[in-house]
Amino acid sequence: MRLNRYIAAAGITSRRKADELIKNGNVKINGVVVKEPGPSVGPDDRVEVNGKLVQVTEKKVYLMLNKPNGYITSMKDQADRPVVRELVEDIPERVFPVGRLDYNTTGLLIMTNDGELANRLAHPSHHVPKTYRAEISGVLSPERVRALRKGVDIGGYVTRPAKVKVIKHREKGAIAEIEITEGKNRQVRKMFSAVGCKVMKLERVAMGELYLGRLASGHYRKLTRSEIEYLKSL
Ligand code: URA
């Protein structure tokens, strides 16, 4: 954002008066006096007017993205693989993902610039239920379903009780929905593996009472006011 606009957006004064303040040497960016109205101010820059720090508080944005396969749930990737940030590029605010989904997992991902809400939701103590639809290979027998529901050892950790619903049995596999209230690394894949099945496809379809619905892969939508209130109430 241009410096004069930044000062106006911070509520200090009008853009025209901001130009005057700048011209008169009253404004510093990162400790250096700037006399041109044009330099652009980034999110990490420190702007002072008459020695006082001024800040623009960004509007809070809450999005639901349908994460496609082959995207990293982060802002940057060392190996230059596609990242979810690229899918919300036209949102000017710096939104980031709440929690993570594996590279190969698709589906519901909340993105926001509300750091407090993001931290709260992603915190392990929070136990927000998350529902996944899994296509698996192997026999999903009633005993295996019972074990998944009760809790299985995924390598030094026994999972909390989960809800499991078999949607469809196939010749060499099944489609199941599983709701878990924790978020260990690759948890759903490890849970099925613990009972001798393999997850072939994994999609997150709900987070509490937020549903992915018919949102197309790679697309996002803004959350409604009631969805935002719901997330804040969790
Ligand atoms: N469980 C997994 O195994 N992978 C995910 O991406 C999310 C939950």
Side-chain angles (χ1 to χ4, degrees):
M1 195 187 289
R2 280 165 65 93
L3 180 58
N4 55 357
R5 215 176 131 219
Y6 184 92
I7 294 170
I12 305 293
T13 184
S14 67
R15 202 182 302 186
R16 199 167 50 77
K17 293 227 172 89
D19 284 341
E20 279 171 31
L21 286 169
I22 296 166
K23 208 163 71 192
N24 294 336
N26 300 78
V27 180
K28 288 182 187 170
I29 301 182
N30 301 327
V32 179
V33 173
V34 178
K35 291 201 167 180
E36 299 299 321
S40 123
V41 180
D44 300 324
D45 287 328
R46 206 184 138 81
V47 176
E48 287 167 76
V49 175
N50 292 326
K52 273 204 184 139
L53 182 68
V54 300
Q55 276 170 312
V56 174
T57 38
E58 228 179 34
K59 180 172 92 180
K60 296 276 189 278
V61 181
Y62 304 86
L63 309 175
M64 178 191 292
L65 171 73
N66 184 348
K67 178 195 168 299
N69 197 354
Y71 275 77
I72 299 281
T73 313
S74 74
M75 306 301 276
K76 267 211 166 114
D77 183 51
Q78 308 286 351
D80 258 356
R81 288 172 297 183
V83 292
V84 290
R85 179 76 187 96
E86 292 160 25
L87 300 167
V88 293
E89 207 100 86
D90 52 338
I91 294 283
E93 290 81 9
R94 296 215 304 171
V95 293
F96 46 85
V98 175
R100 57 183 302 283
L101 290 175
D102 297 338
Y103 184 70
N104 293 326
T105 302
T106 62
L108 193 161
L109 185 69
I110 302 297
M111 297 188 75
T112 182
N113 57 350
D114 183 341
E116 196 197 315
L117 180 75
N119 285 340
R120 233 161 22 85
L121 290 177
H123 197 272
S125 67
H126 234 84
H127 304 312
V128 182
K130 293 169 199 107
T131 309
Y132 296 86
R133 188 180 168 93
E135 280 188 39
I136 58 152
S137 69
V139 181
L140 194 52
S141 63
E143 296 75 42
R144 288 176 169 181
V145 170
R146 269 199 292 278
L148 287 168
R149 285 183 181 143
K150 193 157 165 265
V152 288
D153 190 334
I154 55 168
Y157 179 82
V158 177
T159 54
R160 289 161 60 92
K163 291 184 184 161
V164 182
K165 199 161 74 185
V166 182
I167 309 286
K168 201 188 231 178
H169 283 289
R170 288 176 165 168
E171 203 187 327
K172 286 183 183 150
I175 297 180
E177 256 184 28
I178 178 163
E179 182 191 288
I180 57 173
T181 54
E182 44 194 352
K184 302 284 173 205
N185 189 29
R186 300 178 73 79
Q187 179 164 338
V188 174
R189 295 175 200 276
K190 287 179 184 169
M191 286 175 77
F192 280 104
S193 159
V195 297
C197 296
K198 186 169 164 42
V199 171
M200 307 307 289
K201 262 190 186 175
L202 190 61
E203 179 184 40
R204 180 151 72 194
V205 293
M207 200 168 146
E209 287 165 25
L210 284 192
Y211 300 97
L212 182 64
R214 290 176 182 273
L215 187 61
S217 173
H219 287 234
Y220 71 84
R221 68 169 175 85
K222 290 194 172 165
L223 294 187
T224 64
R225 192 181 293 255
S226 62
E227 286 174 328
I228 297 167
E229 289 311 314
Y230 167 71
L231 282 182
K232 288 183 175 175
S233 76
L234 284 171

